[in-house]
Amino acid sequence: MNEEVIITCALTGAGDTVGRSPHVPVTPRQIAASAVEAAEAGAAVVHVHVRDPESGAPSRDPRLYAEVVERIKETGTDVIINLTAGMGGDLVIDPEQPLRRLPGTDLVGGLDRLPHVEELLPDICTLDCGSLNFGDGSNLYVSTPDMLRAGAKRIQELGVRPELEIFDTGQLWFARQLHAEGLLDDPTVFQLCMGIPWGAPADAGVLASMVNMLPAGAQWASFALGRMQMPWVAQAILLGGNVRVGLEDNLYLSKGVKATNGQLVERAVSITELLGARVATPEQARARLGLAARA
């Protein structure tokens, strides 16, 4: 069991959730305010996507990331900033004409997913460690070994800590290969992403197997989607890991009750403490994750 738990809050994500809850933050001002709310509730880390302020659609615009980061820092809030670098991997194909890209495709090379990381040098950025059939239909997430090697090398050069997003066991196998090739520095940081169709299911046995595959000394967290979010907080802690909650992965506090990010973090804090563990401060989390002390 993990006795000192790092809580990450994934604030908004890239999913089609804006119309499903009034609490999903969209504008940079809203996302930054939600980050502060989550930090005050007990999150040591905030995981940031950005959206087009007018449409709510997911975006890769570095200016939006810069505004979110600036607004968070202006408040003086002590929180670790984790920027997604997973955008730009979406491929939607015509099942009858597979070489034809359909609307919804946003596919660029590995280095082209990093301009906001290059500019802002966050504490952490994500690296999605493989390709995946992303849900039903003909939606694919594309992240090839060549893309990942290029991305990992550049992130390492920038001195940013990559959080390795793992959606299935083969991706964990490849992340270990990146580590063996010297493209990942210690301590490695993993996020085990469970319950995303059609990756690893939200199954305790599968999670335990993935934990057993981690490199020695790795720091890890896990989350599961929807109603499994809070049970997964307990599951991850009992297996020795850290946790992630937030509106990217789940919109509800209980059946029929829409949540805010702050409320989801508060619930994760309660579960952590009921298990007899402590919630890590941002300072403690920085030490565990091998990050520089706050400037």
Side-chain angles (χ1 to χ4, degrees):
M1 176 173 151
N2 184 6
E3 301 287 348
E4 187 179 272
V5 178
I6 300 168
I7 298 177
T8 293
C9 186
L11 302 170
T12 188
D16 185 21
T17 55
V18 172
R20 294 164 52 198
S21 171
H23 303 305
V24 175
V26 173
T27 68
R29 182 186 296 273
Q30 291 169 343
I31 294 167
S34 201
V36 172
E37 175 195 21
E40 291 176 346
V45 183
V46 289
H47 175 55
V48 178
H49 286 251
V50 294
R51 295 178 179 270
D52 180 274
E54 299 298 325
S55 68
S59 175
R60 289 188 285 113
D61 188 340
R63 293 171 298 179
L64 296 175
Y65 283 104
E67 184 178 347
V68 171
V69 171
E70 181 180 4
R71 287 183 178 277
I72 293 171
K73 290 183 175 181
E74 281 178 348
T75 69
T77 301
D78 187 8
V79 69
I80 295 167
I81 295 176
N82 174 343
L83 299 184
T84 184
M87 302 298 295
D90 298 312
L91 174 61
V92 185
I93 65 170
D94 184 332
E96 303 300 324
Q97 302 178 62
L99 294 181
R100 179 183 172 219
R101 299 182 181 187
L102 297 181
T105 293
D106 178 29
L107 184 59
V108 297
L111 295 181
D112 291 328
R113 303 177 194 187
L114 297 174
H116 60 302
V117 177
E118 299 241 7
E119 177 184 341
L120 299 171
L121 299 177
D123 301 293
I124 301 170
C125 74
T126 60
L127 186 66
D128 292 44
C129 286
S131 301
L132 184 73
N133 288 326
F134 208 88
D136 281 331
S138 297
N139 303 319
L140 308 172
Y141 182 81
V142 178
S143 192
T144 68
D146 284 344
M147 290 176 177
L148 285 164
R149 285 187 171 97
K153 184 173 186 292
R154 186 60 185 140
I155 293 167
Q156 187 179 54
E157 290 169 348
L158 293 170
V160 175
R161 179 72 65 195
E163 180 184 76
L164 307 165
E165 306 288 291
I166 304 295
F167 294 86
D168 213 343
T169 52
Q171 297 184 7
L172 180 48
W173 183 10
F174 186 72
R176 287 179 59 107
Q177 180 62 27
L178 290 176
H179 185 242
E181 292 175 14
L183 293 170
L184 301 173
D185 296 326
D186 291 318
T188 49
V189 178
F190 287 81
Q191 184 70 250
L192 305 179
C193 313
M194 315 297 287
I196 293 90
W198 297 107
D203 177 280
V206 175
L207 179 62
S209 295
M210 294 172 78
V211 171
N212 288 336
M213 291 176 64
L214 292 169
Q219 291 291 320
W220 68 275
S222 186
F223 71 89
L225 297 188
R227 66 182 183 84
M228 291 301 292
Q229 184 174 82
M230 292 306 164
W232 220 250
V233 170
Q235 187 65 66
I237 292 170
L238 291 172
L239 282 173
N242 301 300
V243 304
R244 171 173 134 175
V245 296
L247 294 175
E248 176 172 349
D249 308 318
N250 165 49
L251 299 177
Y252 292 91
L253 191 64
S254 59
K255 187 174 183 179
V257 179
K258 300 288 178 64
T260 67
N261 278 312
Q263 289 171 330
L264 293 172
V265 173
E266 288 171 355
R267 182 66 57 85
V269 169
S270 295
I271 293 170
T272 300
E273 292 176 344
L274 285 169
L275 289 172
R278 302 178 302 280
V279 175
T281 66
E283 181 181 8
Q284 291 166 334
R286 285 188 179 92
R288 290 256 304 279
L289 301 177
L291 305 176
R294 187 185 187 199

